Amino acid sequence: MNQSRVGTFRSLAVLWVLVLAFITPTTAETTKVEGVIVGRSGNVMIVEYMSDAELAFLLDDTTKVSQVGGIFKASRTGKSMAALIPGLKVKVEGTYNESRQVVATSVKFNGDDLEQAQIAEAANRQNRKQLEEYKAELERQAAALKEQNEQLQLQQSQFAEHKAEIEATKARFGEMDDYYTFDELTVHFANGQVKIDPKY
């Protein structure tokens, strides 16, 4: 009877261990990619690691950012997350959280790649500045053209009003041309005289 109970307890213990093995979470799923940063917004970094394939990484306080160097790239220098700019080639390792988001645990990059990315970023900023200035100039010219068009329309309206007034005046003077000639008389003036002779 005791041996039966011991055997039952052993069977239950083995069964409990198997259940625990199934329900105990396994090691967090990890991922590694090597690509180029194509977007960065706050604590989210997007890396393109294949043609048209992108993966978003969350950056937090546990993310280690380092610059590798040396012949065998053995030396590492800690960097701030501000160095993670678009255009930078990186090697990223991360783990999936419970929301199936990838949290970056390690981001590594080469110093030369950082310099090239910074140069490209500076050029992009300059281009954006020039585009904004060009857009502002176009808007200014469009506003000036609109104002000129409004003035032209006003002038055309005033011209039409003046033309109507002239036509009305011509019509009134035209009525004065309607008269009949009953008789004609030639009046002679003496040299240097402006008085009309009584006989006229």
Side-chain angles (χ1 to χ4, degrees), residues 117-132:
Q118 289 172 337
I119 292 173
E121 179 68 12
N124 288 336
R125 282 197 301 269
Q126 182 65 24
N127 289 338
R128 287 194 297 268
K129 181 181 178 181
Q130 291 177 349
L131 286 175
E132 290 173 358

Side-chain angles (χ1 to χ4, degrees), residues 149-162:
N149 287 335
E150 291 175 351
Q151 292 178 352
L152 180 60
Q153 290 176 358
L154 178 60
Q155 291 174 356
Q156 289 176 343
S157 176
Q158 293 174 345
F159 177 76
E161 292 177 0
H162 293 162

Side-chain angles (χ1 to χ4, degrees), residues 175-199:
E175 294 174 357
M176 297 177 65
D177 291 339
D178 296 334
Y179 61 91
Y180 297 97
T181 303
F182 293 101
D183 196 5
E184 293 183 359
L185 178 65
T186 302
V187 179
H188 297 279
F189 293 89
N191 291 335
Q193 298 295 322
V194 295
K195 291 181 179 182
I196 299 177
D197 194 289
K199 67 179 179 181

Side-chain angles (χ1 to χ4, degrees), residues 37-166:
I37 299 176
V38 294
R40 171 79 189 278
S41 177
N43 65 335
V44 178
M45 176 181 68
I46 300 175
V47 178
E48 183 179 16
Y49 59 97
M50 292 177 60
S51 179
D52 297 329
E54 298 177 352
L55 186 60
F57 289 89
L58 296 179
L59 306 172
D60 60 17
D61 295 336
T62 63
T63 304
K64 295 181 180 179
V65 181
S66 57
Q67 175 180 322
V68 297
I71 298 177
F72 300 103
K73 297 183 179 180
S75 64
R76 297 180 183 177
T77 304
K79 293 288 184 179
S80 70
M81 292 186 187
L84 303 178
I85 59 177
L88 178 63
K89 296 179 182 179
V90 291
K91 293 181 179 179
V92 190
E93 296 182 13
T95 58
Y96 286 88
N97 59 17
E98 61 278 2
S99 301
R100 297 302 296 169
Q101 297 171 312
V102 186
V103 180
T105 56
S106 171
V107 183
K108 302 174 186 176
F109 56 86
N110 187 286
D112 293 337
D113 293 335
L114 176 60
E115 184 178 356
Q116 292 178 4
Q118 289 172 337
I119 292 173
E121 179 68 12
N124 288 336
R125 282 197 301 269
Q126 182 65 24
N127 289 338
R128 287 194 297 268
K129 181 181 178 181
Q130 291 177 349
L131 286 175
E132 290 173 358
E133 292 175 351
Y134 180 67
K135 181 180 178 181
E137 177 63 18
L138 286 179
E139 291 176 351
R140 187 191 65 78
Q141 292 180 1
L145 182 60
K146 180 181 178 182
E147 183 179 356
Q148 291 177 358
N149 287 335
E150 291 175 351
Q151 292 178 352
L152 180 60
Q153 290 176 358
L154 178 60
Q155 291 174 356
Q156 289 176 343
S157 176
Q158 293 174 345
F159 177 76
E161 292 177 0
H162 293 162
K163 183 177 179 181
E165 292 176 358
I166 292 172

